[in-house]
DNA sequence: CCATGGCAAGAGCACTGCTCTCGTTCTTGG
DNA sequence: CCAAGAACGAGAGCAGTGCTCTTGCCATGG
Protein backbone atom coordinates (compact mmCIF):
# COMPACT_ATOMS: atom_id res chain seq x y z
CA UNK A 1 0.00 0.00 0.00
CA UNK A 2 2.77 2.39 0.86
CA UNK A 3 4.69 4.16 -1.85
CA UNK A 4 7.80 3.72 0.23
CA UNK A 5 9.52 0.59 -0.87
CA UNK A 6 11.29 -1.23 1.88
CA UNK A 7 14.74 -2.57 1.36
CA UNK A 8 13.27 -6.04 1.19
CA UNK A 9 10.91 -5.10 -1.62
CA UNK A 10 13.70 -3.46 -3.56
CA UNK A 11 15.88 -6.52 -3.13
CA UNK A 12 13.04 -8.75 -4.25
CA UNK A 13 12.47 -6.75 -7.40
CA UNK A 14 16.16 -6.75 -8.17
CA UNK A 15 16.45 -10.50 -7.78
CA UNK A 16 13.31 -11.03 -9.85
CA UNK A 17 14.78 -8.91 -12.62
CA UNK A 18 18.10 -10.73 -12.40
CA UNK A 19 16.36 -14.08 -12.72
CA UNK A 20 14.44 -12.97 -15.78
CA UNK A 21 17.56 -11.48 -17.30
CA UNK A 22 19.57 -14.66 -16.84
CA UNK A 23 16.64 -16.75 -18.06
CA UNK A 24 16.39 -14.60 -21.18
CA UNK A 25 20.11 -15.10 -21.74
CA UNK A 26 19.78 -18.87 -21.55
CA UNK A 27 16.68 -18.72 -23.72
CA UNK A 28 18.62 -16.95 -26.45
CA UNK A 29 21.47 -19.44 -26.12
CA UNK A 30 19.64 -22.74 -25.92
CA UNK A 31 15.96 -22.28 -26.64
CA UNK A 32 12.92 -22.65 -24.45
CA UNK A 33 13.05 -26.41 -24.07
CA UNK A 34 16.55 -26.32 -22.65
CA UNK A 35 15.89 -23.49 -20.21
CA UNK A 36 16.62 -24.87 -16.77
CA UNK A 37 15.65 -23.38 -13.43
CA UNK A 38 18.63 -25.00 -11.78
CA UNK A 39 21.00 -23.58 -14.35
CA UNK A 40 19.58 -20.11 -13.85
CA UNK A 41 19.96 -20.42 -10.10
CA UNK A 42 23.48 -21.79 -10.46
CA UNK A 43 24.52 -18.88 -12.68
CA UNK A 44 23.09 -16.45 -10.15
CA UNK A 45 24.96 -18.07 -7.29
CA UNK A 46 21.91 -19.29 -5.48
CA UNK A 47 20.42 -22.67 -4.83
CA UNK A 48 17.54 -23.84 -6.99
CA UNK A 49 14.97 -23.98 -4.23
CA UNK A 50 15.52 -20.30 -3.47
CA UNK A 51 14.30 -19.46 -6.92
CA UNK A 52 10.85 -20.78 -6.12
CA UNK A 53 10.32 -17.83 -3.81
CA UNK A 54 10.18 -15.67 -6.92
CA UNK A 55 8.50 -17.90 -9.49
CA UNK A 56 6.20 -20.68 -8.34
CA UNK A 57 7.15 -22.91 -11.26
CA UNK A 58 9.16 -23.10 -14.43
CA UNK A 59 6.04 -22.43 -16.47
CA UNK A 60 5.39 -19.24 -14.52
CA UNK A 61 8.89 -18.04 -15.33
CA UNK A 62 8.28 -18.81 -18.99
CA UNK A 63 4.98 -16.97 -18.85
CA UNK A 64 6.76 -13.91 -17.49
CA UNK A 65 9.24 -14.12 -20.36
CA UNK A 66 6.33 -14.48 -22.79
CA UNK A 67 4.70 -11.32 -21.48
CA UNK A 68 8.00 -9.47 -21.78
CA UNK A 69 8.47 -10.72 -25.33
CA UNK A 70 5.00 -9.58 -26.36
CA UNK A 71 5.77 -6.23 -24.84
CA UNK A 72 9.08 -5.97 -26.65
CA UNK A 73 7.73 -6.77 -30.10
CA UNK A 74 4.70 -4.57 -29.41
CA UNK A 75 6.98 -1.70 -28.42
CA UNK A 76 9.02 -2.18 -31.59
CA UNK A 77 5.86 -1.99 -33.67
CA UNK A 78 4.60 1.07 -31.85
CA UNK A 79 7.92 2.80 -32.17
CA UNK A 80 7.90 2.19 -35.92
CA UNK A 81 4.35 3.52 -36.01
CA UNK A 82 5.34 6.69 -34.22
CA UNK A 83 8.48 7.23 -36.27
CA UNK A 84 6.60 6.90 -39.56
CA UNK A 85 3.92 9.45 -38.76
CA UNK A 86 2.60 11.52 -41.66
CA UNK A 87 3.80 9.28 -44.46
CA UNK A 88 2.04 7.17 -47.04
CA UNK A 89 -0.22 4.53 -45.39
CA UNK A 90 1.29 1.70 -47.40
CA UNK A 91 4.77 2.80 -46.41
CA UNK A 92 3.69 3.11 -42.81
CA UNK A 93 2.20 -0.35 -42.83
CA UNK A 94 5.43 -1.67 -44.28
CA UNK A 95 7.47 0.08 -41.63
CA UNK A 96 5.50 -1.53 -38.82
CA UNK A 97 5.84 -4.93 -40.46
CA UNK A 98 9.55 -4.42 -40.97
CA UNK A 99 9.93 -3.55 -37.30
CA UNK A 100 8.21 -6.79 -36.30
CA UNK A 101 10.41 -8.80 -38.64
CA UNK A 102 13.55 -7.08 -37.42
CA UNK A 103 12.69 -7.84 -33.82
CA UNK A 104 11.88 -11.45 -34.65
CA UNK A 105 15.15 -12.02 -36.49
CA UNK A 106 17.03 -10.40 -33.62
CA UNK A 107 15.30 -12.49 -30.96
CA UNK A 108 14.43 -15.77 -32.65
CA UNK A 109 13.98 -17.82 -29.49
CA UNK A 110 11.80 -15.22 -27.82
CA UNK A 111 9.81 -15.01 -31.04
CA UNK A 112 9.42 -18.77 -31.03
CA UNK A 113 8.22 -18.54 -27.46
CA UNK A 114 5.27 -16.36 -28.37
CA UNK A 115 4.47 -17.20 -32.00
CA UNK A 116 5.75 -20.77 -32.13
CA UNK A 117 4.26 -23.66 -30.26
CA UNK A 118 2.84 -22.40 -27.00
CA UNK A 119 5.17 -24.20 -24.58
CA UNK A 120 3.56 -24.03 -21.11
CA UNK A 121 -0.03 -25.14 -21.02
CA UNK A 122 -1.98 -25.37 -24.20
CA UNK A 123 -4.01 -22.17 -23.94
CA UNK A 124 -2.32 -18.86 -23.36
CA UNK A 125 -2.37 -17.55 -19.78
CA UNK A 126 -4.61 -14.57 -19.14
CA UNK A 127 -1.68 -12.21 -18.51
CA UNK A 128 -0.68 -12.48 -22.13
CA UNK A 129 -3.87 -11.38 -23.88
CA UNK A 130 -3.18 -7.69 -23.32
CA UNK A 131 0.42 -7.47 -24.48
CA UNK A 132 -0.31 -9.93 -27.29
CA UNK A 133 -2.56 -7.47 -29.07
CA UNK A 134 -0.14 -4.55 -29.30
CA UNK A 135 1.16 -5.39 -32.77
CA UNK A 136 -2.36 -5.87 -34.04
CA UNK A 137 -3.40 -2.54 -32.58
CA UNK A 138 -0.49 -0.80 -34.29
CA UNK A 139 -1.61 -2.21 -37.63
CA UNK A 140 -5.16 -1.11 -36.90
CA UNK A 141 -3.90 2.36 -36.14
CA UNK A 142 -2.35 2.56 -39.60
CA UNK A 143 -5.61 1.52 -41.20
CA UNK A 144 -7.57 3.94 -39.04
CA UNK A 145 -5.50 6.92 -40.06
CA UNK A 146 -5.62 5.82 -43.68
CA UNK A 147 -9.40 5.66 -43.41
CA UNK A 148 -9.80 9.18 -42.11
CA UNK A 149 -7.55 10.29 -44.96
CA UNK A 150 -9.68 8.45 -47.49
CA UNK A 151 -6.89 6.03 -48.31
CA UNK A 152 -8.64 2.92 -47.06
CA UNK A 153 -10.58 0.97 -49.62
CA UNK A 154 -13.06 -1.46 -48.18
CA UNK A 155 -13.78 -3.51 -51.23
CA UNK A 156 -16.64 -5.96 -51.26
CA UNK A 157 -14.80 -9.23 -50.90
CA UNK A 158 -15.11 -11.67 -53.76
CA UNK A 159 -16.79 -14.11 -51.47
CA UNK A 160 -19.43 -12.15 -49.63
CA UNK A 161 -18.85 -12.37 -45.91
CA UNK A 162 -21.22 -14.70 -44.16
CA UNK A 163 -23.60 -13.41 -41.53
CA UNK A 164 -21.55 -14.96 -38.77
CA UNK A 165 -18.35 -13.36 -40.01
CA UNK A 166 -20.17 -10.06 -40.33
CA UNK A 167 -21.36 -10.32 -36.74
CA UNK A 168 -17.80 -11.12 -35.72
CA UNK A 169 -16.48 -7.99 -37.35
CA UNK A 170 -19.20 -5.88 -35.78
CA UNK A 171 -18.51 -7.23 -32.30
CA UNK A 172 -14.78 -6.80 -32.71
CA UNK A 173 -15.26 -3.26 -33.95
CA UNK A 174 -17.28 -2.46 -30.83
CA UNK A 175 -14.64 -4.04 -28.61
CA UNK A 176 -11.90 -2.04 -30.25
CA UNK A 177 -13.84 1.23 -30.13
CA UNK A 178 -11.98 2.69 -33.07
CA UNK A 179 -13.12 4.81 -35.99
CA UNK A 180 -12.96 1.98 -38.42
CA UNK A 181 -15.73 0.55 -40.58
CA UNK A 182 -16.40 -3.01 -39.36
CA UNK A 183 -16.22 -4.20 -42.94
CA UNK A 184 -12.54 -3.34 -43.01
CA UNK A 185 -11.72 -5.64 -40.13
CA UNK A 186 -11.77 -9.14 -41.62
CA UNK A 187 -9.13 -8.31 -44.21
CA UNK A 188 -7.12 -6.49 -41.58
CA UNK A 189 -7.17 -9.40 -39.17
CA UNK A 190 -6.25 -11.76 -41.99
CA UNK A 191 -3.32 -9.56 -42.98
CA UNK A 192 -2.21 -9.47 -39.35
CA UNK A 193 -2.09 -13.24 -39.16
CA UNK A 194 -0.48 -13.54 -42.58
CA UNK A 195 2.29 -11.15 -41.58
CA UNK A 196 3.32 -13.60 -38.89
CA UNK A 197 3.22 -16.39 -41.43
CA UNK A 198 5.90 -14.59 -43.40
CA UNK A 199 7.97 -13.85 -40.33
CA UNK A 200 7.61 -17.33 -38.85
CA UNK A 201 8.63 -19.05 -42.06
CA UNK A 202 11.76 -16.94 -42.20
CA UNK A 203 12.67 -17.31 -38.53
CA UNK A 204 11.92 -21.03 -38.44
CA UNK A 205 13.92 -21.78 -41.57
CA UNK A 206 11.15 -22.71 -43.99
CA UNK A 207 12.63 -20.30 -46.52
CA UNK A 208 15.98 -22.12 -46.60
CA UNK A 209 16.84 -22.95 -50.20
CA UNK A 210 13.66 -21.19 -51.29
CA UNK A 211 14.04 -17.49 -50.67
CA UNK A 212 17.47 -15.92 -50.61
CA UNK A 213 16.85 -12.20 -51.10
CA UNK A 214 14.82 -12.07 -47.93
CA UNK A 215 14.69 -8.33 -47.34
CA UNK A 216 13.41 -7.67 -50.83
CA UNK A 217 11.01 -10.57 -50.70
CA UNK A 218 9.57 -9.40 -47.40
CA UNK A 219 9.07 -5.87 -48.67
CA UNK A 220 7.28 -7.20 -51.71
CA UNK A 221 5.05 -9.53 -49.73
CA UNK A 222 4.20 -6.90 -47.16
CA UNK A 223 3.14 -4.45 -49.82
CA UNK A 224 0.76 -7.07 -51.08
CA UNK A 225 -0.50 -7.49 -47.54
CA UNK A 226 -1.16 -3.76 -47.27
CA UNK A 227 -3.24 -3.87 -50.43
CA UNK A 228 -5.13 -6.87 -49.19
CA UNK A 229 -5.88 -4.99 -46.00
CA UNK A 230 -7.36 -2.21 -48.10
CA UNK A 231 -4.58 0.36 -47.79
CA UNK A 232 -3.93 2.54 -50.80
CA UNK A 233 -1.11 4.91 -51.55
CA UNK A 234 -1.68 8.56 -50.83
CA UNK A 235 -0.12 11.15 -48.67
CA UNK A 236 -1.48 11.60 -45.18
CA UNK A 237 -1.32 15.05 -43.72
CA UNK A 238 0.55 15.36 -40.52
CA UNK A 239 -1.59 15.86 -37.44
CA UNK A 240 -5.07 15.24 -38.86
CA UNK B 1 20.78 -56.17 -50.56
CA UNK B 2 18.44 -59.11 -50.67
CA UNK B 3 14.74 -58.65 -51.25
CA UNK B 4 14.09 -61.44 -48.78
CA UNK B 5 13.46 -59.90 -45.40
CA UNK B 6 14.69 -61.93 -42.50
CA UNK B 7 12.54 -62.41 -39.44
CA UNK B 8 14.80 -60.04 -37.57
CA UNK B 9 14.27 -57.27 -40.12
CA UNK B 10 10.51 -57.73 -40.02
CA UNK B 11 10.54 -57.61 -36.24
CA UNK B 12 12.69 -54.52 -36.31
CA UNK B 13 10.29 -52.71 -38.62
CA UNK B 14 7.34 -53.70 -36.48
CA UNK B 15 8.95 -52.47 -33.28
CA UNK B 16 10.03 -49.25 -34.99
CA UNK B 17 6.47 -48.65 -36.12
CA UNK B 18 5.10 -49.44 -32.67
CA UNK B 19 7.49 -46.96 -31.09
CA UNK B 20 6.47 -44.22 -33.49
CA UNK B 21 2.81 -45.02 -32.99
CA UNK B 22 3.05 -44.83 -29.22
CA UNK B 23 5.17 -41.69 -29.45
CA UNK B 24 2.56 -40.09 -31.68
CA UNK B 25 -0.10 -41.01 -29.15
CA UNK B 26 1.82 -39.35 -26.33
CA UNK B 27 2.54 -36.40 -28.58
CA UNK B 28 -1.15 -35.84 -29.15
CA UNK B 29 -1.85 -36.20 -25.43
CA UNK B 30 0.88 -34.13 -23.90
CA UNK B 31 2.76 -32.19 -26.53
CA UNK B 32 6.28 -32.48 -27.79
CA UNK B 33 8.02 -31.13 -24.71
CA UNK B 34 6.47 -33.81 -22.51
CA UNK B 35 7.20 -36.70 -24.83
CA UNK B 36 9.36 -39.12 -22.87
CA UNK B 37 11.42 -41.98 -24.24
CA UNK B 38 11.10 -43.85 -20.98
CA UNK B 39 7.33 -43.47 -20.98
CA UNK B 40 7.14 -44.79 -24.54
CA UNK B 41 9.31 -47.76 -23.63
CA UNK B 42 7.28 -48.39 -20.48
CA UNK B 43 4.03 -48.39 -22.41
CA UNK B 44 5.50 -50.83 -24.90
CA UNK B 45 6.67 -53.15 -22.15
CA UNK B 46 10.35 -52.76 -22.82
CA UNK B 47 13.15 -51.16 -20.96
CA UNK B 48 14.27 -47.68 -21.95
CA UNK B 49 17.74 -48.68 -23.04
CA UNK B 50 16.31 -51.14 -25.55
CA UNK B 51 14.66 -48.27 -27.35
CA UNK B 52 18.04 -46.83 -28.23
CA UNK B 53 18.56 -49.76 -30.60
CA UNK B 54 15.87 -48.18 -32.78
CA UNK B 55 16.38 -44.46 -32.35
CA UNK B 56 19.79 -43.14 -31.36
CA UNK B 57 18.29 -40.24 -29.39
CA UNK B 58 15.09 -38.54 -28.44
CA UNK B 59 15.68 -35.91 -31.09
CA UNK B 60 15.97 -38.57 -33.77
CA UNK B 61 12.62 -39.96 -32.72
CA UNK B 62 11.14 -36.50 -32.94
CA UNK B 63 12.69 -36.01 -36.36
CA UNK B 64 11.03 -39.21 -37.54
CA UNK B 65 7.71 -37.89 -36.25
CA UNK B 66 8.37 -34.59 -38.01
CA UNK B 67 8.95 -36.33 -41.33
CA UNK B 68 5.75 -38.31 -40.86
CA UNK B 69 3.82 -35.15 -40.03
CA UNK B 70 5.10 -33.37 -43.12
CA UNK B 71 4.07 -36.38 -45.15
CA UNK B 72 0.63 -36.46 -43.58
CA UNK B 73 -0.18 -32.80 -44.20
CA UNK B 74 1.36 -33.05 -47.65
CA UNK B 75 -0.79 -36.06 -48.45
CA UNK B 76 -3.88 -34.21 -47.25
CA UNK B 77 -3.05 -31.31 -49.55
CA UNK B 78 -2.38 -33.57 -52.51
CA UNK B 79 -5.57 -35.47 -51.94
CA UNK B 80 -7.54 -32.23 -51.94
CA UNK B 81 -5.72 -31.26 -55.12
CA UNK B 82 -6.66 -34.51 -56.84
CA UNK B 83 -10.25 -34.41 -55.65
CA UNK B 84 -10.81 -30.88 -56.91
CA UNK B 85 -9.54 -31.51 -60.43
CA UNK B 86 -11.22 -29.60 -63.22
CA UNK B 87 -12.80 -26.89 -61.10
CA UNK B 88 -12.26 -23.17 -60.81
CA UNK B 89 -8.64 -22.36 -59.83
CA UNK B 90 -9.66 -20.15 -56.94
CA UNK B 91 -11.92 -22.87 -55.61
CA UNK B 92 -9.16 -25.41 -56.05
CA UNK B 93 -6.72 -23.24 -54.19
CA UNK B 94 -9.23 -22.87 -51.40
CA UNK B 95 -9.78 -26.61 -51.24
CA UNK B 96 -6.07 -27.28 -50.80
CA UNK B 97 -5.87 -24.62 -48.10
CA UNK B 98 -8.92 -26.00 -46.35
CA UNK B 99 -7.35 -29.45 -46.34
CA UNK B 100 -4.22 -28.09 -44.68
CA UNK B 101 -6.29 -26.28 -42.07
CA UNK B 102 -8.42 -29.32 -41.40
CA UNK B 103 -5.37 -31.49 -40.87
CA UNK B 104 -3.80 -28.89 -38.60
CA UNK B 105 -6.90 -28.55 -36.41
CA UNK B 106 -7.14 -32.32 -36.21
CA UNK B 107 -3.49 -32.80 -35.25
CA UNK B 108 -2.53 -29.64 -33.37
CA UNK B 109 0.52 -31.05 -31.64
CA UNK B 110 1.91 -32.60 -34.78
CA UNK B 111 1.27 -29.31 -36.55
CA UNK B 112 3.11 -27.49 -33.79
CA UNK B 113 5.97 -29.90 -34.25
CA UNK B 114 6.55 -28.89 -37.84
CA UNK B 115 5.26 -25.32 -38.11
CA UNK B 116 5.77 -24.16 -34.54
CA UNK B 117 9.13 -23.76 -32.92
CA UNK B 118 11.48 -26.34 -34.37
CA UNK B 119 12.10 -28.46 -31.29
CA UNK B 120 15.21 -30.58 -31.97
CA UNK B 121 18.20 -28.63 -33.18
CA UNK B 122 17.73 -25.19 -34.55
CA UNK B 123 17.96 -25.93 -38.26
CA UNK B 124 15.76 -28.56 -39.82
CA UNK B 125 17.40 -31.94 -40.44
CA UNK B 126 18.06 -32.85 -44.04
CA UNK B 127 15.46 -35.61 -44.08
CA UNK B 128 12.72 -33.05 -43.71
CA UNK B 129 13.39 -30.81 -46.71
CA UNK B 130 11.71 -33.14 -49.16
CA UNK B 131 8.45 -33.87 -47.30
CA UNK B 132 8.30 -30.26 -46.15
CA UNK B 133 7.74 -28.99 -49.67
CA UNK B 134 4.74 -31.11 -50.57
CA UNK B 135 2.12 -28.55 -49.55
CA UNK B 136 3.96 -25.85 -51.43
CA UNK B 137 4.14 -28.03 -54.51
CA UNK B 138 0.42 -28.68 -54.37
CA UNK B 139 -0.23 -24.94 -54.33
CA UNK B 140 2.17 -24.50 -57.23
CA UNK B 141 0.33 -27.19 -59.15
CA UNK B 142 -2.88 -25.18 -58.81
CA UNK B 143 -1.18 -22.08 -60.14
CA UNK B 144 0.43 -24.03 -62.95
CA UNK B 145 -2.83 -25.41 -64.20
CA UNK B 146 -4.47 -22.01 -63.88
CA UNK B 147 -1.64 -20.58 -65.95
CA UNK B 148 -2.09 -23.00 -68.82
CA UNK B 149 -5.79 -22.17 -68.72
CA UNK B 150 -5.06 -18.47 -68.86
CA UNK B 151 -6.45 -17.91 -65.37
CA UNK B 152 -3.20 -16.78 -63.79
CA UNK B 153 -2.57 -13.07 -63.73
CA UNK B 154 1.03 -12.12 -63.13
CA UNK B 155 0.57 -8.50 -62.30
CA UNK B 156 3.50 -6.16 -62.07
CA UNK B 157 3.86 -5.79 -58.32
CA UNK B 158 3.37 -2.34 -56.90
CA UNK B 159 6.89 -2.36 -55.68
CA UNK B 160 8.98 -3.55 -58.58
CA UNK B 161 10.88 -6.66 -57.61
CA UNK B 162 14.54 -6.03 -56.94
CA UNK B 163 17.19 -7.68 -59.06
CA UNK B 164 18.08 -10.05 -56.26
CA UNK B 165 14.48 -11.12 -55.78
CA UNK B 166 14.17 -11.57 -59.51
CA UNK B 167 17.23 -13.79 -59.56
CA UNK B 168 15.73 -15.74 -56.67
CA UNK B 169 12.55 -16.40 -58.60
CA UNK B 170 14.48 -17.42 -61.67
CA UNK B 171 16.64 -19.87 -59.75
CA UNK B 172 13.65 -21.29 -57.92
CA UNK B 173 11.76 -21.67 -61.17
CA UNK B 174 14.65 -23.65 -62.60
CA UNK B 175 14.84 -25.82 -59.48
CA UNK B 176 11.15 -26.55 -59.65
CA UNK B 177 11.19 -27.28 -63.39
CA UNK B 178 7.54 -26.36 -63.83
CA UNK B 179 5.71 -24.53 -66.57
CA UNK B 180 5.31 -21.43 -64.51
CA UNK B 181 6.56 -17.92 -65.32
CA UNK B 182 9.21 -17.01 -62.75
CA UNK B 183 7.44 -13.71 -62.16
CA UNK B 184 4.52 -15.60 -60.65
CA UNK B 185 6.64 -17.21 -57.97
CA UNK B 186 7.25 -14.45 -55.41
CA UNK B 187 3.55 -13.87 -54.84
CA UNK B 188 2.97 -17.59 -54.74
CA UNK B 189 5.68 -18.20 -52.15
CA UNK B 190 4.35 -15.31 -50.10
CA UNK B 191 0.82 -16.72 -50.22
CA UNK B 192 2.20 -20.10 -49.18
CA UNK B 193 3.81 -18.63 -46.09
CA UNK B 194 0.80 -16.48 -45.32
CA UNK B 195 -1.50 -19.48 -45.44
CA UNK B 196 0.42 -20.96 -42.54
CA UNK B 197 0.14 -17.67 -40.69
CA UNK B 198 -3.62 -18.04 -40.78
CA UNK B 199 -3.52 -21.68 -39.74
CA UNK B 200 -0.93 -21.15 -37.01
CA UNK B 201 -2.82 -18.28 -35.45
CA UNK B 202 -5.93 -20.40 -35.26
CA UNK B 203 -4.21 -23.54 -33.96
CA UNK B 204 -2.07 -21.65 -31.45
CA UNK B 205 -4.99 -19.69 -30.05
CA UNK B 206 -4.14 -16.19 -31.28
CA UNK B 207 -7.68 -15.86 -32.63
CA UNK B 208 -9.25 -16.42 -29.21
CA UNK B 209 -11.63 -13.55 -28.48
CA UNK B 210 -10.87 -12.13 -31.91
CA UNK B 211 -12.32 -14.41 -34.54
CA UNK B 212 -15.28 -16.60 -33.72
CA UNK B 213 -16.69 -17.60 -37.11
CA UNK B 214 -13.46 -19.31 -38.03
CA UNK B 215 -14.62 -21.38 -41.00
CA UNK B 216 -16.10 -18.35 -42.72
CA UNK B 217 -13.16 -16.19 -41.84
CA UNK B 218 -10.71 -18.70 -43.20
CA UNK B 219 -12.60 -19.05 -46.48
CA UNK B 220 -12.63 -15.30 -46.86
CA UNK B 221 -8.94 -14.92 -46.10
CA UNK B 222 -7.93 -17.76 -48.36
CA UNK B 223 -9.82 -16.30 -51.27
CA UNK B 224 -7.83 -13.12 -50.77
CA UNK B 225 -4.69 -15.21 -50.75
CA UNK B 226 -5.65 -16.79 -54.07
CA UNK B 227 -6.07 -13.36 -55.61
CA UNK B 228 -2.76 -12.23 -54.21
CA UNK B 229 -1.14 -15.29 -55.75
CA UNK B 230 -2.55 -14.23 -59.11
CA UNK B 231 -5.34 -16.78 -59.43
CA UNK B 232 -8.50 -15.64 -61.17
CA UNK B 233 -11.85 -17.29 -61.48
CA UNK B 234 -12.54 -19.23 -64.63
CA UNK B 235 -13.38 -22.76 -65.50
CA UNK B 236 -10.55 -25.15 -66.19
CA UNK B 237 -11.21 -27.87 -68.70
CA UNK B 238 -10.72 -31.33 -67.42
CA UNK B 239 -7.66 -33.15 -68.71
CA UNK B 240 -5.80 -30.31 -70.41
C1' DC C 1 12.30 -6.11 22.56
C1' DC C 2 10.37 -9.93 20.68
C1' DA C 3 7.50 -12.57 17.63
C1' DT C 4 6.25 -12.99 12.82
C1' DG C 5 7.22 -13.83 8.42
C1' DG C 6 10.30 -13.54 4.29
C1' DC C 7 14.37 -15.69 2.86
C1' DA C 8 18.47 -18.96 1.51
C1' DA C 9 20.19 -23.43 2.01
C1' DG C 10 20.24 -28.29 1.92
C1' DA C 11 18.42 -32.91 1.56
C1' DG C 12 15.51 -35.65 -0.90
C1' DC C 13 11.88 -37.62 -4.31
C1' DA C 14 10.55 -38.98 -8.71
C1' DC C 15 11.60 -38.34 -13.13
C1' DT C 16 14.41 -37.62 -17.48
C1' DG C 17 18.04 -38.78 -21.50
C1' DC C 18 21.74 -41.54 -22.16
C1' DT C 19 25.77 -45.05 -21.57
C1' DC C 20 27.83 -49.31 -20.48
C1' DT C 21 27.91 -54.07 -19.54
C1' DC C 22 26.22 -58.63 -19.63
C1' DG C 23 23.97 -62.67 -21.27
C1' DT C 24 20.98 -64.39 -25.01
C1' DT C 25 19.35 -65.11 -29.62
C1' DC C 26 19.35 -64.87 -34.38
C1' DT C 27 22.16 -64.60 -38.97
C1' DT C 28 25.51 -65.96 -41.91
C1' DG C 29 30.01 -67.43 -44.04
C1' DG C 30 33.12 -71.22 -44.23
C1' DC D 1 26.38 -77.85 -39.76
C1' DC D 2 28.59 -75.12 -36.79
C1' DA D 3 31.19 -71.42 -35.01
C1' DA D 4 32.07 -66.33 -35.37
C1' DG D 5 29.76 -62.23 -35.04
C1' DA D 6 26.11 -59.09 -35.18
C1' DA D 7 21.80 -57.67 -33.17
C1' DC D 8 19.08 -57.52 -29.28
C1' DG D 9 16.80 -57.04 -24.37
C1' DA D 10 17.60 -56.33 -19.57
C1' DG D 11 19.64 -54.03 -15.84
C1' DA D 12 22.54 -50.86 -13.29
C1' DG D 13 24.20 -46.47 -13.14
C1' DC D 14 25.37 -41.35 -14.08
C1' DA D 15 24.22 -36.69 -14.40
C1' DG D 16 20.74 -33.78 -14.88
C1' DT D 17 15.81 -31.97 -14.17
C1' DG D 18 11.38 -29.80 -11.60
C1' DC D 19 9.69 -29.52 -7.29
C1' DT D 20 8.82 -30.16 -1.99
C1' DC D 21 9.93 -30.04 2.74
C1' DT D 22 12.55 -28.83 6.66
C1' DT D 23 15.85 -26.03 9.08
C1' DG D 24 17.87 -22.01 10.61
C1' DC D 25 18.93 -16.97 9.91
C1' DC D 26 17.73 -12.24 10.07
C1' DA D 27 15.19 -7.97 8.99
C1' DT D 28 10.71 -5.91 9.90
C1' DG D 29 6.61 -4.27 12.32
C1' DG D 30 3.84 -4.29 16.55
Amino acid sequence: MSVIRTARERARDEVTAAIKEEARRQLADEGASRLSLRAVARELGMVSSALYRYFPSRDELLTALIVDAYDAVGAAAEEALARSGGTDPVERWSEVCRAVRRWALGHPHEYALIYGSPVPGYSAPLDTIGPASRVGLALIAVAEEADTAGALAVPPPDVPLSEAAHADAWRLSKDLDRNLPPRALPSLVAAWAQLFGLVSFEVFGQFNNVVEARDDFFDHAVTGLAHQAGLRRGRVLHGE
Side-chain angles (χ1 to χ4, degrees), chain A residues 65-87:
Chain A
L65 295 183
I66 287 174
V67 171
D68 286 0
Y70 273 127
D71 269 330
V73 67
E78 285 163 12
E79 202 234 349
L81 180 72
R83 199 179 36 220
S84 67
T87 65

Side-chain angles (χ1 to χ4, degrees), chain A residues 178-194:
Chain A
R178 298 288 199 108
N179 289 329
L180 238 144
R183 288 175 59 213
L185 277 176
S187 300
L188 211 50
V189 172
W192 169 60
Q194 290 168 17

Side-chain angles (χ1 to χ4, degrees), chain A residues 51-65:
Chain A
L51 213 144
Y52 284 82
R53 303 256 171 207
Y54 298 89
F55 294 94
S57 77
R58 197 192 101 118
D59 280 4
E60 293 282 339
L61 211 200
L62 272 179
T63 302
L65 295 183

Side-chain angles (χ1 to χ4, degrees), chain A residues 104-119:
Chain A
L105 291 176
H107 308 79
H109 285 107
E110 291 180 67
Y111 179 85
L113 203 59
I114 54 182
Y115 292 109
S117 337
V119 187

Side-chain angles (χ1 to χ4, degrees), chain A residues 88-121:
Chain A
D88 173 43
V90 174
E91 185 54 34
R92 245 186 136 183
W93 170 277
S94 299
E95 278 302 324
V96 173
C97 293
R98 273 192 278 260
V100 170
R101 170 173 178 259
R102 214 175 303 126
W103 185 91
L105 291 176
H107 308 79
H109 285 107
E110 291 180 67
Y111 179 85
L113 203 59
I114 54 182
Y115 292 109
S117 337
V119 187

Side-chain angles (χ1 to χ4, degrees), chain A residues 7-228:
Chain A
R8 201 164 235 170
E9 277 175 327
R10 298 165 121 278
R12 181 175 185 84
D13 288 2
E14 266 182 41
V15 175
T16 304
I19 292 171
K20 287 207 290 186
E21 191 182 343
E22 175 60 29
R24 205 156 14 233
R25 232 185 47 79
Q26 294 196 9
L27 189 69
D29 281 359
E30 305 265 24
S33 60
R34 277 168 169 69
L35 174 78
S36 150
L37 272 187
R38 291 180 112 112
V40 170
R42 205 179 306 133
E43 210 69 23
L44 261 52
M46 47 171 125
V47 87
S48 72
S49 60
L51 213 144
Y52 284 82
R53 303 256 171 207
Y54 298 89
F55 294 94
S57 77
R58 197 192 101 118
D59 280 4
E60 293 282 339
L61 211 200
L62 272 179
T63 302
L65 295 183
I66 287 174
V67 171
D68 286 0
Y70 273 127
D71 269 330
V73 67
E78 285 163 12
E79 202 234 349
L81 180 72
R83 199 179 36 220
S84 67
T87 65
D88 173 43
V90 174
E91 185 54 34
R92 245 186 136 183
W93 170 277
S94 299
E95 278 302 324
V96 173
C97 293
R98 273 192 278 260
V100 170
R101 170 173 178 259
R102 214 175 303 126
W103 185 91
L105 291 176
H107 308 79
H109 285 107
E110 291 180 67
Y111 179 85
L113 203 59
I114 54 182
Y115 292 109
S117 337
V119 187
Y122 188 50
S123 69
L126 288 182
D127 316 338
T128 68
I129 62 172
S133 52
R134 287 176 65 177
V135 171
L137 289 179
L139 294 177
I140 283 179
V142 173
E144 191 182 18
E145 197 172 297
D147 184 43
T148 66
L152 183 71
V154 197
D158 292 47
V159 278
L161 267 181
S162 72
E163 275 189 44
H166 228 100
D168 245 15
W170 210 70
R171 177 191 48 76
L172 189 58
S173 175
K174 216 181 62 179
D175 286 358
L176 288 170
D177 197 25
R178 298 288 199 108
N179 289 329
L180 238 144
R183 288 175 59 213
L185 277 176
S187 300
L188 211 50
V189 172
W192 169 60
Q194 290 168 17
L195 161 66
F196 285 95
L198 292 168
V199 175
S200 292
F201 264 35
E202 183 169 355
V203 173
F204 297 156
Q206 304 271 2
F207 282 159
N208 292 350
N209 307 319
V210 178
V211 180
E212 299 297 336
R214 308 216 169 140
D215 292 355
D216 295 340
F217 173 79
F218 185 79
D219 282 352
H220 169 256
V222 143
T223 306
L225 234 41
H227 272 72
Q228 199 184 329

